[in-house]
Amino acid sequence: MPPRVQLFRSARPTIIVPRVLQQTSPPLCLRLAPRRCITADEKPLPTADTAGPGPNEGQLPHVSEEAAAMGKITGEGGPEVDQGTPVQEVMKRDEKSQEKAPKVMQEQVQSTSAKGTRAFSTSARPRQEAMVGSEDSGLESSASGHIFDLPALPLPANMHLKYRYAPIVKQVTNLLMRDGKLSVAQRNMAMVLNHLRTASPPTLNPDRPLIPGSPPASHLPLNPILYLTLAIDSVAPLLRIRAQKGMAGGGASLQVPVPLSLRQRRRQAVMWILDAASKKPARGSGRGQFAQRVAEEVVGIVEGRSGVWDRRGGIHKLAVSARANLNVRGRR
């Protein structure tokens, strides 16, 4: 006979823990206390008559305004509030300031100036008073509403925005430009001109003279654009060598000299200057190092110690030796 199974004795007791309910806060719309709007009928707004003075109202007048009012009443005359207090009147009250003042002002304080004259004033003249004497200055407007004359037409070539720089400056700036960054090239061009302006006067070399009509060396830093133009035109080649095929017969080529225009000559000279400046060792870091090397190369050209002179001389010697090929006709 199988044993009996006792369910209540074999089962383990289970403990049931009740879950504590968390207290939830009511929504924000219920927590806000209701506000009661007060209309103008219940509480009328204050009027201007019943309102008190503001924080900046009812103040005492300035000392100068009070003195001017008292002088007007007594007839003695007070300070002019519109023009301010003259420097002479301030200096008369302070003896220490008279000792440290300029000699011209000391003489004016000591001398008795006429009444109403105010040579030095602490307040500037209004713009309206400054424009009163424009009619007496001799400027007659050709059209109504214009103080100065309108520009004559047609406008000069240098009055256009695109042509506001010198041609040599614009050409060198375009040759300095890399990757289409015109602003960087203009900044380098400004650094080059500033270096030429602040540098000491160059020492000219008689063996390598500049172009005829050049000013003295001491005048060059006063005009950096003339300084740059003189250096470029002095080393600009007059000719270039072109290889003409078929002139010697059998497909052989001969070297033929070809004259260059002014813009072509300057371009070749600038390319030589930039090539020589790029080969110079850098003496530091920064975005102005290349511009400084270009400016030093320009100074070296004027002083006759640059290698660009040798390149120009080599081109001219080769052109002189190849000028005999100009009369040679091509052979078939």
Side-chain angles (χ1 to χ4, degrees):
M1 183 175 180
R4 296 179 180 179
V5 178
Q6 298 180 1
L7 299 176
F8 296 99
R9 291 185 180 180
S10 62
R12 294 181 180 180
T14 57
I15 303 173
I16 299 175
V17 180
R19 184 177 180 182
V20 181
L21 298 177
Q22 297 181 358
Q23 296 181 358
T24 57
S25 59
L28 181 62
C29 60
L30 299 179
R31 281 183 291 168
L32 295 176
R35 297 182 180 180
R36 181 172 177 270
C37 299
I38 301 175
T39 60
D41 300 335
E42 301 177 7
K43 187 177 180 180
L45 299 175
T47 59
D49 300 336
T50 59
N56 297 329
E57 296 180 3
Q59 296 182 358
L60 296 177
H62 195 265
V63 179
S64 301
E65 297 177 357
E66 187 177 355
M70 292 297 297
K72 186 177 181 181
I73 295 173
T74 57
E76 298 178 357
E80 300 179 9
V81 184
D82 298 336
Q83 294 187 356
T85 306
V87 181
Q88 292 86 344
E89 297 182 7
V90 178
M91 292 179 58
K92 286 180 180 179
R93 306 166 191 168
D94 191 1
E95 298 180 356
K96 294 183 179 180
S97 60
Q98 297 181 13
E99 299 176 358
K100 299 180 181 180
K103 188 176 180 180
V104 179
M105 298 181 65
Q106 291 180 3
E107 295 176 356
Q108 291 186 358
V109 170
Q110 295 175 2
S111 61
T112 57
S113 58
K115 187 177 180 179
T117 59
R118 310 174 72 85
F120 298 91
S121 178
T122 55
S123 63
R125 296 179 61 189
R127 182 180 180 87
Q128 183 177 3
E129 296 180 3
M131 297 297 295
V132 169
S134 60
E135 299 179 357
D136 302 334
S137 59
L139 299 175
E140 297 180 358
S141 58
S142 57
S144 60
H146 299 281
I147 299 178
F148 303 99
D149 294 337
L150 297 177
L153 297 177
L155 296 176
N158 57 355
M159 291 292 292
H160 198 277
L161 182 63
K162 294 177 60 177
Y163 308 105
R164 62 186 183 276
Y165 300 120
I168 185 66
V169 174
K170 185 178 179 181
Q171 186 176 6
V172 176
T173 304
N174 293 337
L175 295 176
L176 282 172
M177 182 170 54
R178 295 291 181 270
D179 301 329
K181 299 179 180 179
L182 181 60
S183 60
V184 178
Q186 291 176 347
R187 182 186 63 199
N188 292 336
M189 190 70 230
M191 290 182 180
V192 170
L193 296 178
N194 187 39
H195 188 278
L196 297 178
R197 182 180 61 84
T198 57
S200 58
T203 303
L204 303 182
N205 188 1
D207 297 335
R208 290 176 173 175
L210 303 177
I211 58 177
S214 59
S218 59
H219 295 179
L220 294 180
L222 302 177
N223 192 348
I225 298 180
L226 178 62
Y227 199 160
L228 180 65
T229 307
L230 186 63
I232 293 176
D233 290 347
S234 298
V235 295
L238 300 175
L239 306 167
R240 72 178 180 92
I241 304 301
R242 184 185 65 185
Q244 186 70 29
K245 293 184 178 181
M247 293 190 66
S253 60
L254 291 179
Q255 293 180 343
V256 179
V258 179
L260 300 177
S261 62
L262 177 61
R263 187 174 179 84
Q264 293 174 339
R265 294 175 57 233
R266 288 179 173 177
R267 183 185 185 279
Q268 187 62 47
V270 173
M271 296 303 295
W272 286 346
I273 293 173
L274 297 180
D275 185 30
S278 61
K279 294 180 180 178
K280 283 188 173 183
R283 295 182 297 179
S285 60
R287 60 184 184 182
Q289 290 298 319
F290 182 71
Q292 184 178 1
R293 283 181 286 172
V294 173
E296 292 176 355
E297 188 67 23
V298 172
V299 175
I301 289 174
V302 176
E303 294 182 350
R305 49 181 177 82
S306 176
V308 182
W309 287 97
D310 299 333
R311 302 185 67 171
R312 175 178 178 271
I315 290 293
H316 284 184
K317 288 181 180 179
L318 188 59
V320 171
S321 61
R323 62 183 178 180
N325 300 332
L326 295 174
N327 297 329
V328 177
R329 297 182 179 180
R331 300 177 183 177
R332 296 182 180 179

